[in-house]
């Protein structure tokens, strides 16, 4: 009996360990996949490719991504377009010119030896059924290619891209099938690229806008993005509660960590510190407005005093000129009178 109980306990332990391993599989897969950093020249290249080939249509464009691994992240630093066609009726029928792709990569390799093929891009704007087969084609040139789905339509609050790796997933019929796994993606640039991007943005930014207006606009955009993310989290949790979506333990753990990092708004110390900081800020704003009004009044008084002095100088100058004119007239009259007296004396 004791041995049977021990065996049952061992079986339960092994089952728990297997469950933990299965639950940790997605997190392990994500840890093995590198985060994607897309550089500005790639975004410009994709938009240029779309505008030249498929602007105003429902088609999408496909191209190859080049890059390198730096600081444990995958940096996508360059790209080039590849001829691509697909049947709109049957998404499984498509054509990609891999000969053109190989020739272009050979030429790019002559320019920069560090850049290698890291994946491909598509202007989806979402994943399509034929993407897995295209991804398998790129696995010939790269063991773990990355798919970057670009959204060429302008958006103010979201990044126009999503990055995916392909992983194997076991199905019910014991056949391994690949599926896409989402990985974090950001926009980054080297120092030289930042200078070029700032030069290009000069024509886009409003030069007449002040720095304060730009900062306020940036904060408003950030708050709108935060509100959108909170709505997405709320919608996801509502769908999980209603049974529309399965429970993902990793997402729940991350949300719990976010809630744990949030400050306790009911604590008296936090309320007091926030009130003190707000009062200090309002006091600084009040003092600043008082100083500005005082300086404005001081400048107004100085301006009035200057104008008054200028007027006084102008009236004094006019009076002096009139007096000088009168003196000149008197001197001329005296001279004329003296001349007349001399003429009379001579006649006598």
């Amino acid at each position: 009996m004791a041995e049977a109980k021990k065996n049952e306990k061992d079986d339960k332990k092994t089952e728990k360990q297997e469950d933990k391993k299965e639950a940790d599989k997605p997190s392990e897969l994500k840890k093995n996949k590198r985060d994607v950093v897309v550089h500005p020249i790639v975004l410009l290249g994709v938009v240029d490719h779309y505008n030249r080939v498929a602007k105003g249509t429902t088609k999408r464009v496909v191209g190859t991504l080049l890059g390198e691994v730096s600081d444990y992240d995958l940096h996508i630093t360059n790209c080039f377009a590849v001829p691509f066609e697909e049947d709109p009726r049957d998404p499984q029928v498509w054509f990609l010119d891999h000969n053109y792709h190989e020739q272009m990569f050979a030429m790019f390799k002559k320019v920069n030896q560090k850049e290698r093929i890291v994946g491909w891009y598509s202007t989806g704007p979402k994943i399509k059924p034929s993407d897995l087969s295209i991804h398998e084609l790129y696995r010939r040139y790269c063991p773990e290619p990355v798919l970057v789905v670009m959204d060429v339509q302008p958006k103010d609050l979201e990044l126009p891209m999503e990055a995916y790796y392909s992983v194997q997933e076991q199905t019910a019929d014991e056949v391994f099938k690949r599926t896409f796994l989402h990985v974090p993606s950001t926009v980054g640039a080297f120092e030289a690229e930042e200078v070029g991007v700032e030069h290009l943005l000069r024509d886009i930014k409003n030069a007449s806008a002040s720095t304060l207006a730009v900062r306020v606009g940036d904060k408003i955009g950030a708050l709108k993005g935060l509100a959108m993310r909170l709505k997405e989290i709320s919608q996801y949790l509502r769908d999980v509660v209603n049974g529309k979506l399965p429970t993902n333990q990793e997402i729940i753990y991350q949300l719990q960590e976010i809630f744990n990092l949030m400050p306790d708004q009911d604590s008296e110390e936090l309320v007091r510190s926030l009130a003190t900081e707000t009062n200090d800020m309002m006091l600084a704003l009040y003092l600043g407005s008082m100083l500005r009004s005082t300086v404005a009044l001081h400048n107004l008084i100085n301006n009035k005093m200057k104008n008054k002095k200028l007027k006084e100088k102008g009236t004094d100058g006019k009076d002096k000129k009139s007096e000088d004119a009168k003196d000149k007239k008197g001197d001329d009259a005296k001279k004329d009178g003296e001349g007349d007296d001399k003429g009379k004396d001579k006649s006598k």
Side-chain angles (χ1 to χ4, degrees):
M1 292 290 289
E3 291 179 356
K5 288 181 179 179
K6 285 182 180 178
N7 291 330
E8 288 178 359
K9 289 181 180 179
D10 293 337
D11 293 337
K12 289 181 180 178
K13 286 182 180 179
T14 53
E15 287 177 359
K16 288 181 179 179
Q17 290 175 357
E18 289 176 356
D19 293 337
K20 286 183 179 178
K21 287 180 180 178
E22 290 179 357
D24 294 338
K25 275 183 181 179
S27 60
E28 289 177 359
L29 288 171
K30 282 193 176 181
K31 287 179 182 177
N32 294 331
K33 306 301 179 184
R34 299 181 185 275
D35 293 347
V36 177
V37 181
V38 181
H39 287 242
I41 192 170
V42 179
L43 300 175
L44 294 174
V46 174
V47 173
D48 178 67
H49 183 197
Y50 178 81
N51 288 333
R52 286 187 290 106
V53 176
K55 186 177 181 180
T57 65
T58 58
K59 295 181 180 180
R60 62 169 176 164
V61 295
V62 171
T64 302
L65 298 174
L66 304 176
E68 57 182 332
V69 177
S70 177
D71 298 332
Y72 303 102
D73 291 334
L74 178 62
H75 288 259
I76 301 174
T77 55
N78 209 341
C79 67
F80 60 86
V82 177
F84 174 79
E85 291 290 340
E86 63 180 344
D87 189 356
R89 298 178 182 177
D90 187 2
Q92 295 298 334
V93 178
W94 54 272
F95 167 76
L96 189 141
D97 193 349
H98 57 87
N99 293 324
Y100 175 86
H101 159 78
E102 293 172 359
Q103 292 174 3
M104 285 293 294
F105 176 62
M107 289 189 286
F108 270 91
K109 197 172 182 180
K110 292 179 182 178
V111 177
N112 192 346
Q113 288 284 342
K114 292 182 179 180
E115 289 182 348
R116 57 185 179 84
I117 297 174
V118 296
W120 61 289
Y121 68 82
S122 168
T123 59
K126 295 181 180 179
I127 294 176
K128 296 191 176 182
S130 59
D131 288 348
L132 277 172
S133 53
I134 300 172
H135 203 80
E136 288 299 317
L137 175 63
Y138 272 90
R139 286 175 67 82
R140 300 178 188 176
Y141 311 102
C142 176
E144 287 296 335
V146 61
L147 166 61
V148 177
V149 180
M150 298 283 186
D151 188 2
V152 293
Q153 301 299 327
K155 288 187 177 180
D156 296 333
L157 302 176
E158 295 181 1
L159 289 177
M161 61 189 182
E162 295 289 341
Y164 301 92
Y165 281 101
S166 67
V167 295
Q168 285 186 343
E169 187 179 53
Q170 189 174 8
T171 58
D173 57 355
E174 297 183 357
V175 177
F176 282 95
K177 184 182 178 182
R178 301 193 75 86
T179 184
F180 285 115
L181 176 70
H182 182 268
V183 291
S185 60
T186 56
V187 176
F190 298 127
E191 186 176 357
E193 291 177 323
E194 290 179 358
V195 175
V197 171
E198 289 178 359
H199 183 72
L200 290 173
L201 290 176
R202 288 179 182 175
D203 297 333
I204 299 173
K205 290 183 178 179
N206 187 5
S208 62
S210 63
T211 55
L212 180 60
V214 173
R215 289 180 182 178
V216 171
D218 293 341
K219 288 184 178 180
I220 291 172
L223 291 173
K224 287 182 179 178
L226 177 61
M228 288 182 62
R229 296 293 178 271
L230 292 175
K231 287 181 180 178
E232 290 178 0
I233 293 172
S234 175
Q235 185 63 36
Y236 169 76
L237 294 175
R238 195 178 295 111
D239 292 341
V240 170
V241 171
N242 295 331
K244 296 180 180 179
L245 292 176
T247 304
N248 191 330
Q249 297 296 335
E250 187 176 358
I251 296 176
I252 300 300
Y253 292 154
Q254 290 179 357
L255 291 176
Q256 186 62 48
E257 186 176 358
I258 291 171
F259 294 144
N260 292 336
L261 292 173
M262 290 177 64
D264 185 10
Q265 297 181 355
D266 296 331
S267 64
E268 294 182 358
E269 293 181 0
L270 178 64
V271 173
R272 193 182 303 110
S273 62
L274 289 175
T276 303
E277 186 177 358
T278 305
N279 291 335
D280 293 342
M281 188 183 299
M282 296 302 293
L283 177 62
L285 292 173
Y286 177 73
L287 290 174
S289 61
M290 289 293 292
L291 287 172
R292 286 182 65 185
S293 60
T294 304
V295 171
L297 289 172
H298 184 69
N299 292 333
L300 179 63
I301 292 170
N302 287 338
N303 192 15
K304 285 187 175 181
M305 291 175 67
K306 286 180 181 179
N307 291 333
K308 188 175 180 181
K309 288 180 179 179
L310 290 173
K311 286 181 180 179
E312 290 177 354
K313 287 181 180 179
T315 53
D316 294 340
K318 288 180 180 179
D319 294 338
K320 287 181 180 180
K321 286 180 181 179
S322 61
E323 288 178 0
D324 294 337
K326 288 179 180 179
D327 294 336
K328 285 181 180 180
K329 287 181 180 179
D331 294 337
D332 294 338
K334 286 180 181 179
K335 288 180 180 179
D336 294 337
E338 291 177 356
D340 294 338
D341 294 337
K342 287 179 180 179
K344 288 179 182 180
D345 294 334
K346 284 180 182 180
S347 61
K348 286 180 182 181

